[in-house]
């Protein structure tokens, strides 16, 4: 019943800032080289970023209708549980707990380690160890107190806007390289689908605004407006960053530099000292993004554990007596993330995360048709524009992502499916245990 008493304090600007703030993080700096390496030339690379934005916008508008109909604070698993039942809500939460959250944390940690090694001219062999060190450090910060994690988040959010703005303005102004139709030499296999999947890691996070629909003053009007303006703004920023970088560095050089392309471009623009300051800004941005994930992702297993839905729930729901934080849930996510960091590279982890979450995004996009059928001709607080075209675009986009991932990484993708489906027997066992414990079964 507490859901009904949430204060409706979120206005349009706050909702807009949630979209932009949760989406813009590491991907805009880390993925340009990957996207160019998997497309035939720079023009196709820019098109991949645009299509990624269109898929994200269509998905956001579709989820907005679901969020307006189910105005509960929560997230994707709440929508699936309300539409398809407890089993599917559990599976979504299971996937977020054992795959999505740890994979994103692991990818960000590895990206951060790579940038720090590049900044100080260290041997690349140190990057994984440094990345693991930062993951452990931020886990400890967030265990000691949420307020400290929140302060880190505030500083890093401000810091990340500076390198983006400077690279766009000075890159487009001072750059001399040809932007369009330039081939990027790469050892990667050309795959436009894989390129789009790579961009979607950079667009990820948009669903967070729908999860606070229950706290918006007027979700029917505010939610779609925030999603339209927010995702459109992010798409424009991403295109401008890529245009600026292509104007500074040849496409082939961006591919070769990988995650260090943005920092190298900054050095060319502002010299060694200025370039290092921009590099530090990028590092702070990714540091803050990593902190935000470690701050929020453990709340998913914690919430599930409070309902007795996970193995070891009695431990995962434990709140430290002094720090008042879910220490065991934080620890569980970090342990899984570190294991992934030792087994895979950051691009593999980011692709796994996108594939895993799009399996359930697809179900959420289809849910809009199911909910419409249930409601019949009833008045809805918000209807997705251009229905059914926009939801169909979202569904086709999700299928495109899923098929592309399966085609480009069969083993990794099938592993994600297997680990996700492994949640089913766990769900049945836990449900049976709860039933027996409650005395309903002799």
């Amino acid at each position: 019943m507490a859901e009904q008493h949430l204060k409706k304090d979120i206005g349009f600007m706050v909702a807009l800032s949630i979209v932009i703030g949760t989406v813009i993080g590491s991907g805009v700096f880390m993925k340009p080289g990957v996207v160019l390496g998997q497309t035939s030339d720079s023009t196709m690379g820019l098109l991949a970023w645009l299509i990624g934005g269109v898929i994200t916008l269509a998905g956001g508008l579709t989820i907005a209708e679901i969020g307006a109909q189910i105005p509960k604070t929560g997230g994707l698993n709440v929508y699936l549980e309300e539409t398809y039942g407890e089993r599917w809500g559990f599976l979504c939460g299971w996937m977020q707990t054992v795959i999505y959250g740890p994979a994103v944390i692991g990818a960000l940690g590895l990206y951060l380690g790579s940038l720090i090694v590049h900044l100080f001219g260290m041997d690349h062999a140190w990057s994984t160890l440094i990345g693991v060190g930062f993951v452990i450090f931020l886990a400890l910060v967030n265990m000691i107190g949420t307020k400290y994690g929140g302060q880190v988040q505030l500083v890093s959010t401000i810091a990340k806007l500076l390198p983006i703005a400077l690279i766009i303005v000075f890159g487009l102004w001072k750059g001399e390289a040809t932007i369009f139709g330039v081939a990027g030499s790469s050892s990667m296999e050309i795959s436009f689908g894989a390129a789009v999947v790579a961009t979607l890691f950079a667009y990820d996070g948009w669903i967070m605004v729908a999860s606070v629909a229950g706290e918006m003053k007027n979700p029917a009007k505010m939610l779609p407006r925030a999603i339209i303006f927010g995702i459109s703004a992010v798409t424009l920023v991403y295109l401008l960053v890529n245009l600026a970088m292509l104007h500074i560095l040849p496409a082939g050089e961006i591919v070769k530099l990988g995650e260090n392309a943005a920092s190298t471009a900054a050095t060319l623009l502002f010299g060694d000292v200025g370039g290092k300051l921009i590099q530090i800004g990028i590092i702070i941005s990714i540091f803050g993004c990593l902190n935000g994930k470690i701050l929020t992702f453990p709340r998913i297993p914690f919430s599930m554990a409070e309902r007795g839905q996970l193995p070891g729930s009695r431990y995962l729901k434990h709140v430290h007596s002094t720090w008042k934080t879910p220490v065991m849930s934080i620890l569980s996510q970090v342990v899984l993330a570190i294991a992934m960091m030792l087994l895979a590279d950051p691009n593999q982890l980011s692709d796994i995360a996108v594939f895993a979450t799009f399996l359930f995004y697809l179900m959420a996009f289809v849910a809009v048709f199911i909910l419409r059928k249930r409601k019949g001709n009833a008045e809805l607080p918000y209807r997705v524009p251009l229905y059914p075209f926009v939801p169909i675009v979202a569904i086709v986009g999700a299928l495109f992502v899923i098929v592309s991932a399966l085609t480009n990484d069969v083993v990794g993708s099938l592993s994600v499916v297997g680990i996700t489906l492994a949640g089913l027997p766990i769900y049945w066992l836990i449900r049976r245990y709860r039933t027996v414990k409650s005395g309903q079964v002799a």
Side-chain angles (χ1 to χ4, degrees):
M1 296 297 291
E3 289 284 359
Q4 299 174 6
H5 301 290
L6 289 169
K7 290 184 69 176
K8 294 183 179 292
D9 284 341
I10 295 178
F12 173 70
M13 291 308 297
V14 173
L16 183 64
S17 69
I18 290 173
V19 177
I20 296 174
T22 55
V23 172
I24 296 179
S26 64
V28 65
F29 303 117
M30 301 294 99
K31 290 298 185 180
V34 175
V35 174
L36 285 171
Q38 290 174 323
T39 52
S40 55
D41 60 38
S42 57
T43 304
M44 295 301 293
L46 292 167
L47 181 61
W49 284 98
L50 179 60
I51 289 176
V54 170
I55 292 172
T56 303
L57 181 57
L61 290 172
T62 303
I63 292 293
E65 179 169 323
I66 300 172
Q69 288 190 60
I70 308 172
K72 294 184 178 182
T73 298
L76 186 61
N77 56 327
V78 173
Y79 302 151
L80 297 185
E81 183 171 332
E82 290 282 330
T83 306
Y84 298 101
E86 184 185 20
R87 182 191 303 114
W88 290 105
F90 168 84
L91 271 185
C92 181
W94 169 260
M95 175 276 297
Q96 291 172 315
T97 297
V98 300
I99 303 173
Y100 178 71
V104 172
I105 290 170
L108 290 171
L110 290 172
Y111 284 138
L112 189 59
S114 177
L115 288 176
I116 290 172
V117 163
H118 181 72
L119 176 66
F120 293 103
M122 300 166 64
D123 190 295
H124 188 72
W126 285 94
S127 61
T128 300
L129 183 61
I130 291 171
V132 168
F134 271 102
V135 167
I136 294 172
F137 169 73
L138 286 173
L140 291 173
V141 168
N142 282 282
M143 284 181 184
I144 292 171
T146 301
K147 69 176 183 179
Y148 300 112
Q151 289 167 357
V152 169
Q153 201 59 26
L154 177 61
V155 173
S156 62
T157 298
I158 296 170
K160 73 181 175 184
L161 299 176
L162 184 62
I164 290 173
L166 290 175
I167 287 173
I168 289 173
V169 172
F170 286 91
L172 293 175
W173 175 23
K174 292 191 172 183
E176 297 178 350
T178 302
I179 295 176
F180 298 101
V182 180
S185 57
S186 170
S187 58
M188 302 179 195
E189 184 179 343
I190 299 299
S191 171
F192 188 75
V196 173
V197 170
T199 71
L200 291 169
F201 178 74
Y203 285 109
D204 194 35
W206 55 269
I207 200 170
M208 292 302 296
V209 71
S211 70
V212 294
E215 296 158 82
M216 289 184 181
K217 295 176 182 176
N218 187 349
K221 291 184 178 179
M222 200 170 297
L223 194 57
R225 283 173 55 205
I227 287 174
I228 290 170
F229 285 105
I231 295 176
S232 297
V234 170
T235 303
L236 179 62
V237 167
Y238 285 178
L239 286 172
L240 288 173
V241 167
N242 278 273
L243 284 167
M245 287 183 59
L246 285 165
H247 208 29
I248 303 164
L249 292 166
E253 192 67 16
I254 293 174
V255 174
K256 188 186 302 181
L257 289 165
E259 57 261 34
N260 296 307
S263 56
T264 301
T267 301
L268 290 174
L269 283 173
F270 306 108
D272 287 340
V273 175
K276 287 195 181 299
L277 290 175
I278 298 297
Q279 288 179 54
I280 291 170
I282 294 171
I283 288 170
I284 293 173
S285 170
I286 298 175
F287 178 81
C289 187
L290 175 60
N291 175 74
K293 304 306 183 187
I294 294 175
L295 176 68
T296 56
F297 283 158
R299 270 60 184 177
I300 296 171
F302 176 75
S303 174
M304 294 180 72
E306 282 192 313
R307 299 194 297 273
Q309 291 183 320
L310 289 174
S313 286
R314 58 182 281 192
Y315 302 107
L316 291 172
K317 69 180 181 181
H318 174 69
V319 176
H320 194 277
S321 58
T322 304
W323 300 335
K324 306 299 181 185
T325 55
V327 290
M328 296 307 293
S329 285
I330 294 173
L331 183 63
S332 69
Q333 292 289 279
V334 167
V335 168
L336 287 171
I338 291 172
M340 290 184 179
M341 294 170 76
L342 298 175
L343 294 172
D345 67 49
N347 292 322
Q348 289 173 321
L349 291 181
S350 63
D351 287 349
I352 285 170
V354 169
F355 173 72
T357 196
F358 261 85
L359 291 173
F360 290 90
Y361 279 166
L362 175 61
M363 293 182 66
F365 300 153
V366 172
V368 75
F369 295 97
I370 297 172
L371 292 174
R372 286 249 184 147
K373 188 174 181 180
R374 285 182 190 171
K375 297 287 184 178
N377 296 321
E379 184 69 24
L380 298 179
Y382 160 73
R383 289 178 179 268
V384 60
L386 302 176
Y387 180 90
F389 176 72
V390 170
I392 289 172
V393 170
I395 290 169
V396 171
L399 288 170
F400 176 76
V401 170
I402 291 167
V403 171
S404 296
L406 283 166
T407 303
N408 290 287
D409 183 8
V410 177
V411 175
S413 299
L414 291 180
S415 297
V416 167
V417 173
I419 294 170
T420 300
L421 292 178
L424 281 175
I426 291 172
Y427 168 76
W428 289 323
L429 286 171
I430 290 175
R431 190 174 182 185
R432 180 170 177 78
Y433 171 76
R434 291 204 316 251
T435 303
V436 172
K437 191 176 180 182
S438 66
Q440 294 177 13
V441 175

